[in-house]
Amino acid sequence: MSSIYSALKQECYEANMELNALGLVIYTFGNVSAVDRKKGVFAIKPSGVPYEILTPEDIVILDYDNTIIEGELRPSSDTKTHAYLYKNWNDIGGVAHTHAMYSVAWAQAQKDIPIFGTTHADHLTTDIPCAPPMSDELIKGNYEHNTGIQIVDCFKDKGLSHTEVEMILIGNHGPFAWGKDAAKAVYNSKVLETVAQMATLTLQINPNAPKLKEALIKKHYERKHGINAYYGQ
Amino acid sequence: MSSIYSALKQECYEANMELNALGLVIYTFGNVSAVDRKKGVFAIKPSGVPYEILTPEDIVILDYDNTIIEGELRPSSDTKTHAYLYKNWNDIGGVAHTHAMYSVAWAQAQKDIPIFGTTHADHLTTDIPCAPPMSDELIKGNYEHNTGIQIVDCFKDKGLSHTEVEMILIGNHGPFAWGKDAAKAVYNSKVLETVAQMATLTLQINPNAPKLKEALIKKHYERKHGINAYYGQ
Amino acid sequence: MSSIYSALKQECYEANMELNALGLVIYTFGNVSAVDRKKGVFAIKPSGVPYEILTPEDIVILDYDNTIIEGELRPSSDTKTHAYLYKNWNDIGGVAHTHAMYSVAWAQAQKDIPIFGTTHADHLTTDIPCAPPMSDELIKGNYEHNTGIQIVDCFKDKGLSHTEVEMILIGNHGPFAWGKDAAKAVYNSKVLETVAQMATLTLQINPNAPKLKEALIKKHYERKHGINAYYGQ
Amino acid sequence: MSSIYSALKQECYEANMELNALGLVIYTFGNVSAVDRKKGVFAIKPSGVPYEILTPEDIVILDYDNTIIEGELRPSSDTKTHAYLYKNWNDIGGVAHTHAMYSVAWAQAQKDIPIFGTTHADHLTTDIPCAPPMSDELIKGNYEHNTGIQIVDCFKDKGLSHTEVEMILIGNHGPFAWGKDAAKAVYNSKVLETVAQMATLTLQINPNAPKLKEALIKKHYERKHGINAYYGQ
């Protein structure tokens, strides 16, 4: 009953429940994981279990090579993507994946989300990247593992830092987001969905809307994240 | 008071209440049925009864030729469509019909919903078909019965399998969905509505959005439905 | 405390509360009235009173010439429009006015709402009319009274029957709906808003979407409203 | 515990909670302030404190030069904008700022919101102004203070009165609204968001939708705000 992973499972459980409470998932189309770097394991939602009956005890514990360490249920079908990210980006603490409406629409449209305003700039200074669909060979191979590769490679190709840009769209699929812990990954998923809807409406109102100017991008990002940040307590 | 159809009525009642709880109906613009193959009957919502006062006892029992077997209320006006589907597709267990917003919009636009992403591919591997409006003679005839014919014929014409594609749009009208039981029919109605909204937004963002590539369609469908499926428990 | 108009006030109160519960109003931007034909009076919401504190006793009673018969509060600023409709259409029992989102958008777009599907045809057989904006003289005159004239004249000009078409858009303003009682007027307001949203999305998906064919219009309307109607109990 | 600013803090607290309850903010992306003209101070939300744990005691009191008079938390990062408005417009009693969806979309589109209907005209007689993005020098300088300058200057440039037009969009950022007290500022934020959504949909339905004619603008504004106003009690 008691487990050395209880706190980690609880963190993962709460983040998954929050993902649902924020309206980012229908049915079980989403999953959040949380990592314990000292123990070298992460916790993730079991596959296909409805949020209404999910309990902290259902959460599955795995190492970064996808070996189940604790848990009787099958982990999320996207587990290998989470594992790959934890293995390659050793400074992230949580990962979230959703099929939220506007994020998915941009992923299906295969477009980066342009940085149109300060809501966006409060969180990142670039367009939100959309990774192009995977090659057929990779799809037929170790698909979810390769989705992890796709994410990491896209960041390398575009010269982006995963600590400054904590979100991505996978072309034709949907969003992944991460952060210092599972709660931050969920927060970033909600920010991404909000910014995605704002960009959709901005282009509806003005198809030639200009991007945010450099000075405003810098100002807003730095007041939240810079050395002299003055947002929050 | 007690009835040999109590369990069937309860299943039907719960599926109808779920349809409403999912936000797929306003007023009484929707109906779900459930079949008992052994007894050769199906249960369906009575016509025009608000969800707030609906009880399991109100559910009407009919055979596949639309003869009322039990129940004092008039069955849904779409009953003959349900009956036709049960009679012709003997492996389905439930049918749902709604006037949900985005599903209706695509039906009114008389367009198949293109397969743009993995949310769609997780459930079916083709575009969601939109049956063309019925001929005038059929409309003037046994209309709801003929709507059943329209559905079955559309699947024949397009070479679709009703066990692989569990949903359709009726041009100018709205969606029907089905499945192994009433709950699955309701689930498919919600998936259809979600996918319909995602496709609408995808085309708004990128009118030239490409369809999902074949390898991804196959991969996603098979991880949920194939022999080696690894989604769910 | 007791009043011969208590039942009428209660009907009016409940219809106003339902208008709000259906999400058709923000703040106090809407009003419903109910008529008592025998007594020759109607009941209407007081102006600017928030729904959270509205009570049946607050409802104002007036005759068709806008003389207050009972009530200490100032009646809705749109009262004269309601009065004009009751005076001219002696077979209606309730009137509702909202600033609901999609209904207002079509009114501001100054477009009739095309009949695109059966949800629409279940309730009326024509496009939903949008009255052109009022002439400047009429606006400067007895404005709300003249809005009543505008509605009645629009129906005459277009050859529409107010018992078959129980709703209208006032160009640049918003919708009015009516019916056999106040609850039906509210119901029609919700149907109008739903159909308005469906039509908006239909045109987004297919700007050339054809209108519903005549045979389907007839069929759907008659199964709900014809001599052999078989919808409802 | 007791404070001479308790009533002011309570007013500010309630207005902030209402902003959240109206669906105008996600997370902490918004802030409302309230002024006490006699004492020469204003109260504002602390920065980054979630609404679920916010209490009246958390509210920060400052003078118009941004000196903290009472409170242990850091005030909203937008505080200097509020201060500038209170200092320059000595007849306003409350200010609200949000990142509400449609208001932000118009701000990102860098477009004034055209006056399309009476919902708009019930509150103001002109387009809702969108201030062009700030110059780079001002951004790098005292940014939030300069946002105040930007607002006041925009009103001067356009010849607008801040008592007749109680709202503005800041290009690429979002809306500010004000009024006789904090509750009115919140009310105006909700009206702005509603009118912004209506205008978006109006242009979707009819890209050539004409603006509201002068006579209707005047009529609607005056029945709510003129000498002979007859809206409300």
Side-chain angles (χ1 to χ4, degrees), chain B residues 110-129:
Chain B
Q110 298 187 14
K111 297 265 186 197
D112 297 351
I113 302 178
I115 182 163
F116 281 133
T118 61
T119 319
H120 187 135
D122 281 338
H123 297 92
L124 69 164
T125 62
T126 66
D127 295 350
I128 297 170

Side-chain angles (χ1 to χ4, degrees), chain A residues 22 116-119 187 190 194 197-198 202 204-206 212-213 215-216 219-220 223 230-233, chain D residues 26-29 47 73-74 77-78 99 101-102 105-106 108-110 134 136 139 143-144 172-173 204:
Chain A
L22 287 167
F116 280 133
T118 61
T119 318
Y187 171 90
K190 179 68 177 181
T194 303
Q197 185 175 359
M198 285 174 174
T202 299
Q204 178 176 344
I205 297 164
N206 182 359
L212 193 59
K213 53 200 281 187
L216 267 174
K219 182 70 193 180
H220 266 263
R223 72 176 202 164
Y230 49 93
Y231 185 92
Q233 300 300 325
Chain D
I26 65 155
Y27 294 116
T28 57
F29 307 174
S47 183
L73 298 171
R74 184 187 289 180
S77 57
D78 296 304
H99 285 231
M101 188 55 66
Y102 287 87
W106 280 88
Q108 293 189 159
Q110 298 187 14
M134 211 182 272
D136 285 10
I139 291 169
Y143 176 60
E144 290 81 9
N172 289 130
H173 187 159
Q204 178 176 344

Side-chain angles (χ1 to χ4, degrees), chain C:
Chain C
M1 222 163 249
S2 127
S3 153
I4 57 167
Y5 306 114
S6 289
L8 186 62
K9 287 180 182 178
Q10 183 68 28
E11 179 194 350
C12 177
Y13 166 77
E14 287 175 7
N16 274 286
M17 294 307 283
E18 174 74 0
L19 197 72
N20 186 40
L22 287 168
L24 297 173
V25 284
I26 65 155
Y27 293 115
T28 58
F29 307 174
N31 42 71
V32 190
S33 64
V35 78
D36 182 327
R37 290 291 178 187
K38 284 192 187 152
K39 298 198 179 77
V41 298
F42 68 98
I44 196 164
K45 184 176 174 297
S47 183
V49 176
Y51 291 97
E52 302 81 56
I53 63 168
L54 186 68
T55 67
E57 289 71 34
D58 294 335
I59 302 296
V60 187
I61 304 291
L62 303 101
D63 67 19
Y64 308 155
D65 295 315
N66 294 293
T67 307
I68 295 181
I69 305 298
E70 192 173 291
E72 304 197 355
L73 298 170
R74 185 188 288 180
S76 164
S77 58
D78 296 303
T79 296
K80 287 180 185 170
T81 311
H82 293 245
Y84 189 87
L85 295 181
Y86 287 126
K87 193 159 183 176
N88 282 270
W89 291 342
N90 61 18
D91 45 8
I92 62 170
V95 175
H97 170 56
T98 79
H99 286 232
M101 189 55 64
Y102 287 86
S103 306
V104 165
W106 280 89
Q108 293 189 159
Q110 298 187 13
K111 297 267 186 195
D112 296 351
I113 302 177
I115 180 163
F116 281 132
T118 61
T119 319
H120 188 136
D122 281 339
H123 297 92
L124 67 165
T125 62
T126 66
D127 295 350
I128 297 169
C130 180
M134 210 182 271
S135 73
D136 285 9
E137 292 95 289
L138 290 181
I139 292 169
K140 285 172 193 156
N142 195 346
Y143 176 60
E144 289 80 10
H145 178 82
N146 293 343
T147 301
I149 295 179
Q150 190 185 13
I151 294 171
V152 172
D153 283 0
C154 177
F155 267 63
K156 277 184 199 152
D157 290 352
K158 298 196 177 221
L160 297 174
S161 155
H162 71 271
T163 55
E164 290 178 7
V165 177
E166 298 185 320
M167 55 191 73
I168 193 173
L169 303 172
I170 307 294
N172 290 130
H173 186 160
F176 279 84
W178 50 87
K180 68 178 164 58
D181 54 25
K184 186 69 190 308
V186 169
Y187 171 90
N188 283 331
S189 300
K190 179 70 176 180
V191 166
L192 170 49
E193 178 67 4
T194 303
V195 167
Q197 185 176 359
M198 286 174 173
T200 307
L201 291 166
T202 300
L203 287 172
Q204 178 176 344
I205 297 164
N206 183 357
N208 301 312
K211 289 201 203 180
L212 193 61
K213 53 200 282 188
E214 199 53 44
L216 269 173
I217 292 176
K218 220 179 145 193
K219 182 69 193 181
H220 267 263
Y221 192 75
E222 292 194 343
R223 74 178 199 164
K224 256 198 165 170
H225 306 277
I227 295 176
N228 299 311
Y230 49 93
Y231 185 92
Q233 301 299 327

Side-chain angles (χ1 to χ4, degrees), chain B residues 14-182:
Chain B
E14 287 174 8
N16 275 286
M17 295 306 284
E18 175 73 359
L19 197 73
N20 187 39
L22 287 168
L24 297 173
V25 285
I26 66 156
Y27 293 115
T28 57
F29 306 173
N31 43 73
V32 190
S33 64
V35 79
D36 183 326
R37 290 290 177 189
K38 285 193 185 151
K39 298 198 179 77
V41 299
F42 68 99
I44 196 164
K45 185 176 174 296
S47 183
V49 175
Y51 292 98
E52 302 82 55
I53 63 168
L54 185 69
T55 67
E57 289 71 35
D58 294 335
I59 302 296
V60 186
I61 304 291
L62 302 101
D63 66 19
Y64 308 155
D65 295 314
N66 294 295
T67 309
I68 294 181
I69 305 298
E70 190 173 295
E72 304 197 357
L73 298 170
R74 185 188 288 180
S76 165
S77 58
D78 296 303
T79 296
K80 288 180 185 171
T81 311
H82 294 244
Y84 189 86
L85 294 180
Y86 287 126
K87 194 159 186 175
N88 283 270
W89 291 341
N90 61 18
D91 46 7
I92 62 171
V95 175
H97 169 55
T98 79
H99 285 232
M101 188 57 63
Y102 287 86
S103 306
V104 165
W106 280 88
Q108 292 189 159
Q110 298 187 14
K111 297 265 186 197
D112 297 351
I113 302 178
I115 182 163
F116 281 133
T118 61
T119 319
H120 187 135
D122 281 338
H123 297 92
L124 69 164
T125 62
T126 66
D127 295 350
I128 297 170
C130 179
M134 209 182 272
S135 74
D136 285 10
E137 292 95 290
L138 290 180
I139 292 169
K140 285 173 193 155
N142 196 346
Y143 175 61
E144 289 81 9
H145 178 82
N146 293 344
T147 301
I149 295 179
Q150 191 186 12
I151 293 171
V152 172
D153 283 359
C154 177
F155 267 63
K156 278 184 200 153
D157 291 350
K158 298 195 178 223
L160 297 173
S161 154
H162 71 271
T163 55
E164 290 178 8
V165 177
E166 298 184 322
M167 54 192 74
I168 193 174
L169 304 172
I170 307 294
N172 289 129
H173 187 162
F176 278 84
W178 50 87
K180 67 178 165 59
D181 55 24

